[in-house]
Amino acid sequence: VKVYNTDFENIYSEDAINIFRSNFEIDKNNYKNIASDAIDIDFSKGEIKSSKFENIKNDAIDFSGSEVEINQIFIKNVGDKAISGGEKSNLYGADVNIENVEIGITSKDFSSLSFENIEINNTKVAFCAFQKKPEYGPGYIKSSNVTLSNVDVNFLIEEKSQMIIDDSIVETTSGVIEDMLYGRQYGKSSK
């Protein structure tokens, strides 16, 4: 799947794009006024570059069981997560700017996310790592050169999950993180 120089606007379906068991390249796309997820990627491998996401009601970029590289991404006004990796996803991201979202970056269920050069502004939760599904395990995030401003909660990292920022381990949060998410305290209800 190759999608270049395309605008996705005023989309009311479940996902603007859903890629399943495919290789993909997404470059120089714009996603605006999307009623659910902008991009949903399941069990696929590829890259998303030089793209903008604005006014997304659910997640901007959602990965499950995928290997993805993202570069030069701008995300603004998102109702749930800007970037979410689950079910053993591996994600590398660089030069990412996130503003005015519920949750910035989430790693769950054995997913490993690595970022450099990232800015998160005007957000309720910047980073979140936890286990959601019992058949999987904790989430992992590593990041460097991070700028956070006007963020309510910098980190929600569940015990057994891990976040390393600029070679320092972030303290974990007691309790079950999932109990705080999905519209209970942060994020959007999945119902």
Side-chain angles (χ1 to χ4, degrees):
V1 178
K2 295 183 180 181
V3 185
Y4 302 125
N5 300 307
T6 305
D7 292 335
F8 294 84
E9 292 188 16
N10 304 316
I11 306 289
Y12 300 100
S13 61
E14 185 175 342
D15 305 309
I17 293 181
N18 181 239
I19 297 173
F20 188 80
R21 296 194 192 281
S22 302
N23 293 323
F24 67 91
E25 294 177 19
I26 295 172
D27 191 7
K28 296 180 182 75
N29 289 347
N30 295 305
Y31 302 83
K32 189 173 183 180
N33 302 326
I34 309 296
S36 189
D37 292 349
I39 298 179
D40 192 347
I41 298 174
D42 299 306
F43 311 103
S44 298
K45 183 176 182 179
E47 59 183 13
I48 302 170
K49 305 188 290 190
S50 304
S51 295
K52 294 181 181 179
F53 301 80
E54 191 170 359
N55 301 330
I56 313 297
K57 295 285 186 192
N58 207 24
D59 297 339
I61 306 172
D62 186 19
F63 306 97
S64 295
S66 297
E67 291 187 30
V68 180
E69 183 174 325
I70 63 173
N71 288 291
Q72 297 177 341
I73 302 296
F74 176 77
I75 300 171
K76 182 178 180 180
N77 299 333
V78 172
D80 200 5
K81 297 174 284 297
I83 300 169
S84 178
E87 297 180 8
K88 292 186 178 179
S89 286
N90 290 303
L91 172 67
Y92 170 76
D95 303 318
V96 177
N97 187 301
I98 296 170
E99 63 180 69
N100 195 30
V101 303
E102 272 286 312
I103 302 169
I105 295 171
T106 297
S107 175
K108 60 185 181 289
D109 298 336
F110 281 144
S111 293
S112 179
L113 281 58
S114 179
F115 287 91
E116 59 181 287
N117 302 329
I118 183 163
E119 293 184 26
I120 301 178
N121 307 303
N122 301 320
T123 297
K124 288 191 179 176
V125 178
F127 293 95
C128 183
F130 66 104
Q131 178 179 348
K132 180 179 181 184
K133 297 182 178 180
E135 65 269 31
Y136 290 97
Y140 174 81
I141 303 172
K142 183 175 182 180
S143 193
S144 62
N145 194 20
V146 175
T147 303
L148 303 178
S149 64
N150 197 23
V151 173
D152 293 349
V153 178
N154 290 346
F155 311 106
L156 280 179
I157 310 301
E158 191 171 73
E159 292 176 6
K160 297 185 181 175
S161 291
Q162 186 178 51
M163 175 157 190
I164 298 173
I165 187 166
D166 292 325
D167 298 321
S168 296
I169 296 173
V170 173
E171 186 175 331
T172 58
T173 304
S174 61
V176 178
I177 297 298
E178 183 181 7
D179 293 344
M180 299 178 202
L181 305 178
Y182 303 103
R184 295 177 189 104
Q185 190 172 351
Y186 304 106
K188 186 176 176 184
S189 174
S190 56
K191 295 180 182 179

